[in-house]
Amino acid sequence: MDDLEQAILLASDSPAAASASPAVREEALAFCARARDESPPSSLLRLCLSGLASSPHAHVHFWCLQSLHDALLRRRIALPDDLALLRSSLLSLASASNAASPPFLRNKLAQLVALLVRLDYPHVYPSYFLDLLPPSPPQSGPTDMFARVLISLDDDLLSQDYPRNADETADACRVKDAMRAQCVPQIARHWHDAAATLGAADPPTAAVALDAARRCISWIDVALVANDVFVPLLFDIALSPASAAPLAAAAVGCLSAVAAKRMDARAKVALLRSLLSAQQGLGSPDSGLKMASLVTTYAVEALACYRKLGPSDADGAAALEMLEEVLPAVFSAAESCYEEDVDSGSVLEFLAGYVSTMKAPSEKQLGHLGRILEVVRQQMTYDPVYRVHLDVLDKIGKEEEDMMAEQRKDLVALFRNICRVAPAATQQFIKGLIVTALSSAEATVEDVEVTLTLLYRLGEAVSEEEIRTGSGLLGELVPMLLSARFSCHSHRLVALVYLETVTRYIKFMQENVQYVPHLLAAFLDERGIHHQNSHVSRRAGYLFMKAVKLLKAKLVPYLDTILQSLEDVLGQFTSMDWANKAAKLSSSEDGSQIFEAVGLLIGIEEVSPEKQVQCLTALLNPLCHQIESLVMGAEAQGLEESSPRAISLLQIVVALNMVTKGFNERLVMISRPTIGVMLKKTLDVVLQLLVSFPNVRPLRSKVISFLHRMIEILGISVLPCIPIALRQLLVHNEAKDMVDFLVLLNQIICKFNSSASGILEDVFPTIASRMSVILSQDAFSTGPAGNTEEMRELQELQRTLYTFLHGMVTHDLSAVLLAPTCRQYLETIMQLLLFTSCSHKDILLRKACVQIFVKLIKDWCTTSKADDKLPGFRVFMIEKFATGCCLYSVLEKSFDLRDANTLVVFGEIVMAQKVMYERFGEDFIVNFVAKALPEAHCPPELAEQYYQKLQGNDIKAFRSFYQSLIEKIRQQQNGSLVFR
């Protein structure tokens, strides 16, 4: 034992270990492990009991207790004599336990005794609790030890708060049943005596005893605690100013457990009534502060009884009365939600449940709802400690903002329910908040922010019609909002929520146009676009653009006012101080929404043509001049992607693109052609950027976006500009650039149809030659290498190419492929299409390729071989496509006929066969029916049936037959045929 004791001390954090070398400590650990794991069970038992009896060191005691616990848990100690020795020794230690011994030792001893109880109570040793129960009057040491045994037993076995397996559940039921039959009344009397005797002399021990009681109340006879003796004592302890905080909390925990005890609803009403009788002031605000968990639990249980019994039942009505009696205490608890002993989640859950029971609130209930709204307001309010962090939005501010957003979710749901139940009371509450915030020069950021947030959430709860007509108090609240100027409006939080709330109520202006000037002022003055915080001003620009989209014609009378207010903002884009401007902008889209808003305003047909031309001239000319000036300077000095000049050019193109969003093709090409001419000139200027700086990819991307827009609104008039632009876009073109290029061509095809044939003939050879290299079959890897960014770009390019080819043939442009400059690339294109239609893993791409082939057959082939537009194409389709795609590819097991998308492709393949038969006739039959099907081991009778079905006019019947034919061939071959 002496050697083991020394080893334990060296292996622990004792003073002896501090001076030992790592090697010595490691050797000590190994020695202890051998003693624990390799000693015979009986020897280990006696060794540990000897250490507990003789060693003065707590570390040795703990090691011995832990080793015994592990051995007992693993059933190493199993002999009856060993178990009896262990039991008697531990019970002696527990009974003689000194309250001054270290808590970790008492806890470990309690855990070991609890394990013994689980293993052999009551069938082996029925008097555990009678032996451990302290005599009266209770003393600190035995009382503390007994409580810790009950707590350990609850943690490790009895509590239903943790998942238990079947054996644990059975053991728990056995122990509980035996305790109820044998000793629970004595234990309950002990709890009372411990609380009464030790409450003043030893509060920590009394608190531990009551904590043990709280854990057991859920499964014992509640009358043992809920009686005229115990309950008053618990209330006295809970409310007495002299009670230590842990002891008071333990008493409240016991009372809460009593209130939460599961039972019949009528019995629960009687129990709740007895608690209320025992403490008449249970519903006082002071009770809410001192007994928050009790009043919350009480309210939850009373509400559950009311819901179950109903208002027409006498006990149900009594439950509601008791609930409303304790509501002031619940509100007090809710308003002190930042206290550690208040579970704000439970309080909110109760409040939400209470509100959900209301249909037509009485005056008294409306008063309660007002208190609940105040609780919501308080709990949605930011802590002033974070005010500066939230203004600059640093890391701390961002974390607080995210945390508050999460915390507000349940509060917002509760607020919406109150809006539904009592809309007038809610609006009156918010009106009071706004009046207070506006009338006080000292209104805090936090109070104003939460007031505006609640007004915003009110806008979510009411209907659009109510907003539009100003229903209820909205007719007062919205004008108050629009004219509001808070003393803390410069703070980021206040400014942002103010603008969002104004935007929420914009529809009010549709019916109340007299407030449009106030709305514009809110967006255009220092509260919005001219706010000192750049983030706020940018957000204001975006929200103003949304307002313009919604109000449109109602803003036309104020066009001059709007443009005048935005003059300095728009002027930033014509400023020559590009280096300074670029340094201030965090992204290429900053400020662009202002131009979109202005474009939307100018593009309204109610604006006169003269005014439109005047405004557009004022916008477009300075921007175009700046492009020309920057191009001249950059051509001489070069242009880097990240340079201020490049950023400025990019900004200008974005701004021009945004302006054009207010116009459509009918307006600029038919109603107001002068505007079309202006936009065409602007396009000419922008396209010079492609000529001058073809390698600046971010700029090229924005120019392409602008070109997309111009094609949409200028129509056929833009065609002469396109060839030069396309040639420039093909300079230094990589895979991801080709995607953008092909998307642009797709738009041109869809917009202009056959009018785009000349353009396509010009660029198709270059496209085809590059695609043949970039998209060669060797370029696509399988396995991990196929999941790289480069590989994903190639796959995207492949999809876009087939979309482009599909667009060509479906818009009557297949003749482009037959042009002399393009014909040399047909072989490459056909092989790509064939490979994809037969074996590509993307089933939708296979569908597109099959459709392309079908359209080419219709365009290039007739029933007469002599009239074919492309010699050899008929043979290619019969020998390669028909055999490879229409037969062998669908015989592959990977072609899953149970998949919906695969069935769509299958339908296209069936249609392709019909078209080939119609155009190729006997040539197709000879190759497919007489040659391909037999080679695939198709029985002759099935081949003959295929021919008959093919000749028929019922495409559905042919499809159904062909699917059954494929399945029969698959079954017949059973995977032995290797296709292709």
Side-chain angles (χ1 to χ4, degrees):
M1 186 61 220
D2 292 340
D3 292 340
L4 178 60
E5 180 176 298
Q6 185 179 2
I8 293 171
L9 293 175
L10 288 171
S12 65
D13 58 353
S14 67
S19 58
S21 66
V24 171
R25 295 197 66 185
E26 186 175 344
E27 184 179 352
L29 283 168
F31 185 88
C32 293
R34 287 195 300 274
R36 182 188 64 239
D37 300 333
E38 298 178 9
S39 299
S42 297
S43 300
L44 176 63
L45 170 63
R46 284 158 179 78
L47 185 67
C48 291
L49 292 178
S50 174
L52 290 169
S54 62
S55 177
H57 301 290
H59 293 90
V60 175
H61 291 180
F62 185 84
W63 186 91
C64 292
L65 291 171
Q66 182 64 57
S67 297
L68 289 172
H69 185 275
D70 292 345
L72 189 62
L73 192 63
R74 290 184 289 171
R75 305 297 175 95
R76 289 187 63 207
I77 301 176
L79 293 177
D81 290 344
D82 288 345
L83 287 171
L85 176 61
L86 176 62
R87 184 187 311 117
S88 62
S89 301
L90 292 180
L91 288 174
S92 297
L93 284 172
S95 298
S97 176
N98 187 344
S101 64
F104 70 91
L105 281 183
R106 282 178 278 158
N107 286 337
K108 182 53 65 177
L109 177 58
Q111 188 180 29
L112 186 51
V113 173
L115 181 56
L116 273 174
V117 170
R118 175 188 173 183
L119 294 176
D120 55 19
Y121 175 78
H123 51 289
V124 175
Y125 191 78
S127 58
Y128 273 111
F129 297 100
L130 297 177
D131 291 348
L132 288 171
L133 188 66
S136 185
Q139 301 297 314
S140 293
T143 298
D144 177 86
M145 194 65 237
F146 184 63
R148 289 178 190 271
V149 170
L150 291 178
I151 291 171
S152 292
L153 191 62
D154 182 72
D155 285 339
D156 298 341
L157 182 65
L158 303 183
S159 175
Q160 295 181 344
D161 294 338
Y162 311 102
R164 307 291 188 190
N165 60 35
D167 290 340
E168 290 172 330
T169 301
D171 289 344
C173 290
R174 168 172 49 81
V175 170
K176 288 178 182 178
D177 289 343
M179 289 181 69
R180 291 188 193 103
Q182 182 195 50
C183 57
V184 167
Q186 298 95 305
I187 293 174
R189 282 195 297 272
H190 164 72
W191 289 330
H192 173 273
D193 293 346
T197 304
L198 300 175
D202 189 356
T205 299
V208 173
L210 289 181
D211 183 43
R214 173 188 62 81
R215 292 164 177 263
C216 298
I217 287 172
S218 63
W219 56 269
I220 67 173
D221 180 1
V222 73
L224 296 173
V225 178
N227 53 54
D228 295 340
V229 177
F230 211 151
V231 168
L233 173 63
L234 292 173
F235 274 120
D236 287 344
I237 294 173
L239 296 173
S240 173
S243 296
L247 177 59
V252 171
C254 285
L255 291 167
S256 299
V258 169
K261 176 77 174 179
R262 293 183 181 179
M263 60 183 68
D264 176 75
R266 298 190 188 281
K268 176 58 71 71
V269 171
L271 176 64
L272 296 177
R273 186 181 290 114
S274 70
L275 290 177
L276 202 57
S277 299
Q279 181 57 41
Q280 296 293 331
L282 185 59
S284 68
D286 185 59
S287 294
L289 293 175
K290 294 181 177 179
M291 300 186 294
S293 64
L294 170 60
V295 297
T296 303
T297 303
Y298 189 100
V300 168
E301 296 298 324
L303 178 62
C305 292
Y306 172 71
R307 281 176 160 173
K308 189 168 186 178
L309 299 171
S312 59
D313 184 272
D315 285 333
L320 182 60
E321 289 178 9
M322 291 186 289
L323 165 62
E324 295 188 335
E325 188 168 340
V326 299
L327 276 180
V330 175
F331 296 142
S332 179
E335 289 163 1
S336 61
C337 64
Y338 294 108
E339 300 294 331
E340 292 183 0
D341 57 345
V342 178
D343 184 355
S344 60
S346 298
V347 173
L348 282 179
E349 186 177 355
F350 160 71
L351 293 177
Y354 176 58
V355 171
S356 68
T357 64
M358 297 184 186
K359 307 236 183 275
S362 63
E363 285 299 319
K364 185 177 181 181
Q365 288 178 324
L366 287 174
H368 293 325
L369 288 175
R371 289 294 300 276
I372 296 174
L373 285 169
E374 179 59 24
V375 169
V376 170
R377 187 196 71 81
Q378 286 189 13
Q379 295 198 19
M380 287 180 68
T381 302
Y382 279 100
D383 190 331
V385 171
Y386 300 101
R387 184 178 300 170
V388 175
H389 298 290
L390 288 165
D391 193 20
V392 299
L393 201 61
D394 55 14
K395 181 181 179 182
I396 295 174
K398 186 69 172 68
E399 290 175 353
E400 177 64 14
E401 196 169 60
D402 292 342
M403 187 173 71
M404 179 57 79
E406 186 65 29
Q407 179 179 319
R408 284 179 171 179
K409 288 180 180 178
D410 291 337
L411 292 164
V412 168
L414 174 57
F415 177 77
R416 285 177 178 166
N417 283 338
I418 299 173
C419 291
R420 174 184 55 80
V421 171
T426 306
Q427 293 176 22
Q428 187 63 49
F429 175 79
I430 293 176
K431 179 182 176 181
L433 295 179
I434 294 177
V435 170
T436 301
L438 288 174
S439 60
S440 173
E442 299 178 355
T444 66
V445 168
E446 295 74 28
D447 288 339
V448 173
E449 189 275 341
V450 76
T451 296
L452 291 172
T453 298
L454 290 174
L455 180 55
Y456 176 88
R457 296 299 181 180
L458 175 64
E460 291 181 327
V462 299
S463 68
E464 292 186 358
E465 181 63 23
E466 289 176 289
I467 292 177
R468 192 164 30 245
T469 60
S471 172
L473 290 178
L474 293 180
E476 297 179 46
L477 292 174
V478 177
M480 289 171 65
L481 172 69
L482 294 175
S483 60
R485 294 177 183 271
F486 301 101
S487 57
C488 53
H489 221 125
S490 60
H491 194 280
R492 187 189 67 89
L493 271 183
V494 172
L496 285 175
V497 72
Y498 175 78
L499 292 169
E500 297 288 352
T501 307
V502 167
T503 304
R504 170 62 64 183
Y505 290 96
I506 280 179
K507 290 190 177 179
F508 177 78
M509 267 56 70
Q510 291 180 327
E511 298 288 336
N512 301 273
V513 292
Q514 69 271 26
Y515 293 108
V516 168
H518 300 281
L519 172 73
L520 294 175
F523 280 118
L524 300 177
D525 63 20
E526 69 281 355
R527 292 172 293 173
I529 290 170
H530 289 90
H531 196 278
Q532 63 187 34
N533 185 300
S534 59
H535 178 69
V536 173
S537 62
R538 290 195 299 271
R539 184 63 179 169
Y542 170 75
L543 295 175
F544 178 61
M545 178 266 295
K546 290 181 64 176
V548 171
K549 285 184 175 180
L550 187 63
L551 297 177
K552 291 183 179 177
K554 290 181 172 55
L555 300 179
V556 171
Y558 308 97
L559 180 57
D560 288 334
T561 302
I562 293 170
L563 293 177
Q564 186 176 358
S565 299
L566 295 174
E567 186 175 355
D568 59 331
V569 179
L570 300 175
Q572 291 179 8
F573 285 77
T574 58
S575 168
M576 290 300 294
D577 188 9
W578 294 108
N580 182 53
K581 174 177 176 290
K584 292 181 180 179
L585 296 173
S586 59
S587 79
S588 63
E589 305 297 334
D590 284 344
S592 61
Q593 292 86 6
I594 299 295
F595 282 87
E596 182 175 358
V598 171
L600 289 168
L601 277 172
I602 298 174
I604 297 172
E605 291 200 32
E606 285 79 0
V607 178
S608 67
E610 297 77 14
K611 190 65 177 178
Q612 284 182 327
V613 170
Q614 176 191 346
C615 294
L616 265 184
T617 302
L619 274 175
L620 300 181
N621 286 356
L623 294 173
C624 290
H625 291 155
Q626 284 303 317
I627 291 178
E628 292 167 347
S629 300
L630 285 165
V631 168
M632 290 178 60
E635 285 178 337
Q637 302 174 16
L639 190 67
E640 297 292 333
E641 285 188 10
S642 58
S643 67
R645 287 180 181 271
I647 295 175
S648 299
L649 284 169
L650 188 145
Q651 277 279 332
I652 294 172
V653 176
V654 169
L656 289 170
N657 199 9
M658 290 295 183
V659 169
T660 63
K661 288 189 176 183
F663 300 89
N664 57 63
E665 185 175 5
R666 184 186 60 80
L667 179 72
V668 303
M669 299 307 296
I670 300 175
S671 302
R672 317 252 170 110
T674 305
I675 296 176
V677 173
M678 296 173 67
L679 294 177
K680 174 64 169 54
K681 290 180 180 179
T682 303
L683 175 61
D684 292 337
V685 173
V686 172
L687 291 180
Q688 285 302 309
L689 295 173
L690 291 179
V691 178
S692 301
F693 314 113
N695 296 327
V696 182
R697 283 189 167 80
L699 184 58
R700 179 166 63 182
S701 174
K702 296 304 178 186
V703 173
I704 291 175
S705 179
F706 184 68
L707 183 54
H708 275 294
R709 184 65 192 154
M710 291 298 97
I711 290 171
E712 188 65 31
I713 63 176
L714 293 179
I716 201 73
S717 67
V718 84
L719 271 180
C721 304
I722 291 177
I724 297 175
L726 294 181
R727 282 193 289 270
Q728 290 301 318
L729 289 171
L730 285 172
V731 176
H732 304 294
N733 208 307
E734 297 179 358
K736 56 184 177 183
D737 302 315
M738 282 300 296
V739 170
D740 294 336
F741 182 81
L742 291 175
V743 169
L744 179 62
L745 278 180
N746 285 338
Q747 183 194 18
I748 293 170
I749 290 170
C750 295
K751 183 73 174 177
F752 303 121
N753 296 314
S754 59
S755 300
S757 59
I759 293 173
L760 290 177
E761 286 183 21
D762 187 30
V763 298
F764 187 82
T766 306
I767 295 172
S769 63
R770 293 194 183 178
M771 292 298 101
S772 64
V773 176
I774 298 174
L775 296 180
S776 65
Q777 294 182 26
D778 296 336
F780 292 89
S781 303
T782 57
N787 196 31
T788 63
E789 182 64 29
E790 181 181 1
M791 192 57 56
R792 286 191 289 270
E793 288 178 1
L794 288 176
Q795 291 166 353
E796 176 64 20
L797 176 58
Q798 190 181 49
R799 285 191 292 270
T800 310
L801 172 64
Y802 292 132
T803 302
F804 163 68
L805 293 173
H806 190 274
M808 283 184 63
V809 299
T810 54
H811 287 81
D812 300 323
L813 289 166
S814 62
V816 171
L817 301 173
L818 303 177
T821 55
C822 304
R823 188 171 291 211
Q824 60 178 308
Y825 300 103
L826 272 178
E827 176 66 22
T828 300
I829 296 297
M830 292 299 129
Q831 291 299 333
L832 276 174
L833 290 170
L834 179 64
F835 175 78
T836 303
S837 64
C838 291
S839 58
H840 202 286
K841 63 181 181 181
D842 187 335
I843 202 72
L844 296 180
L845 278 188
R846 293 171 74 166
K847 169 191 168 186
C849 291
V850 173
Q851 290 175 333
I852 291 171
F853 274 129
V854 170
K855 190 65 171 65
L856 291 177
I857 294 171
K858 293 179 179 179
D859 288 352
W860 292 352
C861 301
T862 65
T863 54
S864 172
K865 188 185 302 184
D867 295 332
D868 286 356
K869 295 181 181 179
L870 181 64
F873 178 68
R874 179 186 294 253
V875 174
F876 174 82
M877 294 303 297
I878 293 174
E879 295 183 357
K880 301 296 183 182
F881 175 75
T883 304
C885 179
C886 298
L887 180 58
Y888 289 162
S889 76
V890 297
L891 286 173
E892 295 281 3
K893 288 185 177 180
S894 59
F895 195 85
D896 186 2
L897 290 169
R898 295 167 301 178
D899 176 69
N901 286 330
T902 304
L903 283 176
V904 172
V905 178
F906 185 78
E908 297 293 339
I909 289 174
V910 169
M911 180 59 67
Q913 295 172 69
K914 290 288 290 183
V915 172
M916 285 189 286
Y917 174 66
E918 292 169 0
R919 297 300 171 98
F920 304 155
E922 287 303 315
D923 291 340
F924 172 72
I925 296 301
V926 168
N927 184 80
F928 196 80
V929 178
K931 183 179 178 183
L933 287 177
E935 287 178 353
H937 306 291
C938 175
E941 63 274 14
L942 287 180
E944 179 61 29
Q945 290 180 41
Y946 169 86
Y947 182 41
Q948 294 173 0
K949 295 289 184 181
L950 181 64
Q951 291 176 304
N953 295 322
D954 190 342
I955 186 67
K956 290 185 178 180
F958 176 54
R959 173 177 170 165
S960 177
F961 168 78
Y962 193 59
Q963 182 173 342
S964 66
L965 182 146
I966 294 299
E967 290 171 344
K968 288 176 182 177
I969 296 177
R970 283 182 178 181
Q971 293 171 359
Q972 188 170 336
Q973 297 306 321
N974 195 25
S976 63
L977 183 62
V978 179
F979 302 114
R980 295 191 305 284

